[in-house]
């Protein structure tokens, strides 16, 4: 993109894995670009590296304060830039893996800024409150989040690599895993507790997710007390 204005439109359109931007640009400079992207729900999750000829610490602090994820002073070593890009992408991947593997998850552990944290907190709250309702699905999720279906999908895949349907199922399966380990409910009761009216379907889905049938999982993962 030849300037920040074009960069803003491209970021909305393509949802890139990472953005590398010069600070000194016509129309919309890099700091304005960064602030706009980090203040928009649709792009706040995208990592940003700012490049500038200004190496003063004050300029670096300003960039980081408005949400930049990294900062390089020009002239810079291209191998170093590649390494920083790879590191940001890898760190986001680890956050997504952490989300998929832990339950319950703390939003602060899988987000890097307040806007994304608030989004994940709200999404988790809604799914948790409606988990036992077998009629709760993507349509209801979208309505309760108060955003468009496309934006919900964009944010969830950007932060967790899960679609809205997968996000709901992920939370249901992980809750079921905890309930089974507590060994207080049978498999059918656990299925109903997390919104599945068909225990056989629940068992197949659980086995596919965790590689063990619910009863087998319960026997192997008993939580004492």
């Amino acid at each position: 993109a030849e300037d920040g204005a074009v960069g803003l439109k491209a970021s909305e359109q393509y949802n890139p894995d990472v953005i590398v931007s010069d600070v000194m640009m016509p129309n919309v400079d890099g700091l304005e670009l960064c602030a706009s992207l980090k203040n928009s729900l649709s792009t706040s999750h995208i990592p940003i590296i700012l490049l500038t000829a200004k190496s003063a610490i004050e300029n670096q602090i300003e960039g980081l304060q408005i949400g930049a994820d990294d900062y390089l002073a020009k002239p810079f070593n291209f191998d170093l830039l590649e390494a920083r890009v790879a590191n940001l992408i890898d760190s986001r991947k680890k956050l997504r893996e952490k989300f998929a593997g832990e339950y319950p998850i703390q939003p602060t552990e899988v987000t890097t800024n307040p806007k994304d944290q608030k989004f994940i907190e709200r999404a988790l709250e809604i799914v948790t409150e409606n988990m036992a309702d077998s009629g709760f699905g993507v349509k209801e999720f979208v309505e309760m989040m108060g955003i468009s279906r496309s934006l919900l999908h964009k944010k969830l895949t950007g932060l967790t690599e899960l679609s809205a349907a997968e996000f709901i199922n992920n939370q249901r399966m992980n809750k079921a895993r905890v309930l089974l380990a507590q060994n207080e409910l049978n498999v059918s009761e656990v299925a109903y507790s997390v919104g599945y009216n068909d225990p056989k379907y629940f068992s197949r889905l659980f086995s596919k997710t965790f590689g063990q049938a619910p009863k087998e999982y319960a026997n192997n993962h008993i939580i004492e007390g």
Side-chain angles (χ1 to χ4, degrees):
E2 59 266 27
D3 61 37
V6 176
L8 276 173
K9 293 180 181 178
S11 300
E12 290 277 359
Q13 180 178 356
Y14 297 109
N15 192 32
D17 292 321
V18 63
I19 294 170
V20 180
S21 173
D22 202 344
V23 168
M24 302 300 292
M25 295 187 294
N27 299 318
V28 175
D29 67 27
L31 295 177
E32 293 173 306
L33 171 70
C34 182
S36 295
L37 292 171
K38 291 300 184 178
N39 284 321
S40 170
L41 181 61
S42 65
T43 54
S44 57
H45 59 281
I46 304 173
I48 300 174
I49 298 176
L50 290 179
L51 308 174
T52 181
K54 299 178 180 179
S55 59
I57 189 67
E58 292 83 3
N59 298 120
Q60 296 183 32
I61 291 173
E62 183 181 7
L64 295 173
Q65 284 179 335
I66 62 173
D69 296 87
D70 209 342
Y71 201 103
L72 279 179
K74 298 189 294 185
F76 59 88
N77 179 281
F78 195 78
D79 289 336
L80 177 59
L81 175 60
E82 283 189 327
R84 296 282 183 89
V85 169
N87 182 63
L88 279 174
I89 292 174
D90 185 59
S91 66
R92 293 305 194 276
K93 180 180 178 182
K94 289 178 179 176
L95 289 179
R96 297 182 188 112
E97 291 173 350
K98 190 177 184 71
F99 181 90
E102 294 188 13
Y103 185 88
I105 191 71
Q106 296 300 317
T108 54
E109 296 179 352
V110 295
T111 56
T112 60
N113 62 71
K115 187 172 287 290
D116 290 343
Q117 180 183 333
K118 185 177 180 181
F119 171 83
I120 287 293
E121 285 175 347
R122 180 61 178 151
L124 289 172
E125 178 185 15
I126 288 172
V127 173
T128 300
E129 289 178 352
N130 295 277
M131 188 176 291
D133 180 4
S134 61
F136 176 76
V138 174
K139 180 176 179 292
E140 293 72 24
F141 192 16
V142 170
E143 290 175 354
M144 292 178 186
M145 286 294 292
I147 58 178
S148 69
R149 190 185 187 104
S150 60
L151 179 53
L152 179 62
H153 176 78
K154 182 179 183 179
K155 286 300 295 185
L156 287 177
T157 54
L159 290 169
T160 69
E161 288 191 338
L162 299 172
S163 67
E166 290 168 339
F167 185 90
I168 295 170
N169 282 332
N170 173 272
Q171 292 303 295
R172 281 176 162 156
M173 285 292 105
N174 278 301
K175 178 62 175 180
R177 179 163 58 93
V178 172
L179 292 174
L180 287 166
Q182 291 172 346
N183 208 29
E184 296 176 357
L185 303 174
N186 63 37
V187 172
S188 293
E189 290 171 331
V190 170
Y192 300 140
S193 295
V194 296
Y196 295 97
N197 285 336
D198 184 348
K200 289 184 178 179
Y201 172 73
F202 163 77
S203 294
R204 289 196 300 270
L205 187 57
F206 189 93
S207 298
K208 181 180 179 181
T209 302
F210 298 111
Q212 290 181 310
K215 189 170 293 185
E216 181 185 2
Y217 186 93
N219 292 335
N220 294 333
H221 297 81
I222 296 175
I223 297 175
E224 298 295 339

